[in-house]
Amino acid sequence: MQRVLAEANARGAIAVHRLSVAIGELAGVEPELLASAYTLVKDNGLCDGSALDIHRVPARWACRDCGIEVARGEILRCPACSAPARLLSGDEILLERIEMEVP
Amino acid sequence: MCDTCGCGDTHLVPVEVQDKVLAHNDRLAAHNREHFQECGVLAVNLMGSPGSGKTAILEATAHAFRGTRKLMALAGDLATDYDARRLEAAGITALSITTGSACHLDAEMVHRALHDFPWRDADFLFVENVGNLVCPAVYDLGQAVNVVALSVTEGPDKPLKYPVMFRKADLVLLTKVDLLPHLPEVSLAAFEDAVARTMPEARVLPLAAAKGEGLSAWLDWLEARRRSPS
């Protein structure tokens, strides 16, 4: 919220309409709970009428050497060369975009 | 004002941010990490369920390292300082971080605790996180390594149910393995398989802390990480 208000104030916004956040499957954040928490914290003026869009990002793993993707639920090693996999996406907790109303 | 006709209408403006929500915690964690690295202290974030054996691991570790390595610990606990007292009794310089209703430690809590603590004299600084298989994994504390304690009685499905925690682990200590003979439906191989599906460089060390079994491999792992923390 601090970042949102800082961005809004820097642009002289009169209201924040929408926040977009990305939540990875392995981020440890439950989107429904985040949405419900947001309804409690947003009542502070600028964000009062704002919506929260949550964009869920699935976990994707791939071989760190050759890039071949590891299928969901499989052992996290490359199916071709057995090197350990690395996470391509799915651990993010990102504030992506703020939609605000400016004069 | 509207640029087109000067009517005074407001505009909707999308502002791209792409900012990590936990950026503040990550900055503080990086600060803690710098401190630890400068002083040659290996900081170990020890996580696991309530009752998985985190405190018992540290007691056994202190016993095995007695006279050779200086161990210190910060113990995160919701309501008591029992763990810190147990650790002190085992010869570990320990401080309790009482979190109240918070289910995890964050970098700021650790940083505050360091101010009142002689951590620079430690060879190993263990941060015994709050007993919880979910939230502690989300918050970087500035540790060099993450170790997850998983007891055999919790069952081999736990890594699959709590992948967020196990993905972050550098090592899984499978505790209470002396109970395996009493658990005919559970096998070591089942734990290893589940860990390999959630942890990319899977490493599981079986341990029975109360009996001292498996300790030497754990101590070797700690010493190796202390020599090359990353």
Side-chain angles (χ1 to χ4, degrees):
Chain A
M1 287 308 288
Q2 279 170 355
R3 177 71 196 261
V4 172
L5 292 175
E7 293 285 345
N9 287 328
R11 289 170 176 76
I14 55 172
V16 171
H17 283 241
R18 187 176 300 278
L19 302 185
S20 301
V21 296
I23 301 294
E25 181 184 350
L26 292 177
V29 173
E30 189 47 48
E32 283 78 16
L33 295 180
L34 177 66
S36 118
Y38 185 66
T39 62
L40 298 175
V41 299
K42 70 177 180 178
D43 297 332
N44 52 9
L46 276 181
C47 296
D48 209 358
S50 62
L52 180 69
D53 279 351
I54 299 177
H55 154 218
R56 299 171 189 234
V57 184
R60 285 174 56 218
W61 294 89
C63 174
R64 68 178 182 192
D65 293 337
C66 63
I68 295 178
E69 282 209 34
V70 176
R72 227 181 148 70
E74 286 301 315
I75 302 281
L76 296 178
R77 294 227 162 230
C78 177
C81 69
S82 291
R86 69 184 174 90
L87 193 66
L88 296 179
S89 63
D91 67 341
E92 48 280 271
I93 311 176
L94 276 183
L95 173 62
E96 296 182 306
R97 197 174 308 105
I98 310 166
E99 200 174 294
M100 56 184 83
E101 186 176 351
V102 296
Chain B
M1 189 179 287
C2 163
D3 291 336
T4 323
C5 63
C7 63
D9 281 354
T10 56
H11 301 266
L12 276 185
V13 181
V15 177
E16 290 296 327
V17 185
Q18 302 295 338
D19 190 23
K20 280 186 171 183
V21 171
L22 294 177
H24 178 67
N25 184 76
D26 289 350
R27 276 193 295 275
L28 280 172
H31 177 70
N32 291 347
R33 187 168 285 116
E34 272 175 33
H35 275 327
F36 298 141
Q37 285 172 350
E38 277 165 16
C39 296
V41 175
L42 187 84
V44 179
N45 182 13
L46 179 59
M47 300 178 280
S49 311
S52 57
K54 298 182 291 300
T55 313
I57 289 167
L58 295 184
E59 288 172 326
T61 308
H63 185 71
F65 268 143
R66 184 156 295 160
T68 59
R69 291 291 181 210
K70 182 69 184 158
L71 271 52
M72 296 196 192
L74 300 172
D77 210 324
L78 269 68
T80 71
D81 62 353
Y82 290 170
D83 287 350
R85 279 157 49 191
R86 273 178 63 186
L87 296 172
E88 284 279 352
I92 300 176
T93 307
L95 181 71
S96 194
I97 304 177
T98 308
T99 60
S101 53
C103 54
H104 58 270
L105 294 173
D106 65 24
E108 189 167 5
M109 292 182 210
V110 169
H111 188 252
R112 269 203 310 268
L114 292 177
H115 286 168
D116 306 321
F117 198 65
W119 61 272
R120 285 182 174 81
D121 302 330
D123 295 310
F124 296 99
L125 174 68
F126 294 94
V127 182
E128 184 180 339
N129 220 307
V130 179
N132 178 343
L133 270 185
V134 186
C135 315
V138 179
Y139 292 83
D140 186 6
L141 307 177
Q143 71 278 356
V145 288
N146 284 319
V147 176
V148 179
L150 171 66
S151 58
V152 292
T153 48
E154 290 171 69
D157 57 344
K158 291 304 169 292
L160 304 174
K161 285 186 168 180
Y162 301 91
V164 177
M165 169 69 63
F166 287 87
R167 177 181 82 79
K168 295 276 182 77
D170 295 293
L171 177 70
V172 173
L173 289 176
L174 187 63
T175 62
K176 311 184 191 182
V177 289
D178 49 332
L179 297 180
L180 275 174
H182 304 286
L183 304 166
E185 70 284 10
V186 172
S187 72
L188 193 57
F191 283 98
E192 285 170 341
D193 180 78
V195 169
R197 290 171 199 277
T198 47
M199 182 178 166
E201 293 189 63
R203 186 87 201 267
V204 179
L205 289 181
L207 206 67
K211 297 188 173 156
E213 290 170 24
L215 271 177
S216 61
W218 159 235
L219 301 190
D220 289 348
W221 186 87
L222 281 173
E223 290 286 9
R225 295 313 288 253
R226 187 163 176 271
R227 285 191 297 273
S228 55
S230 54

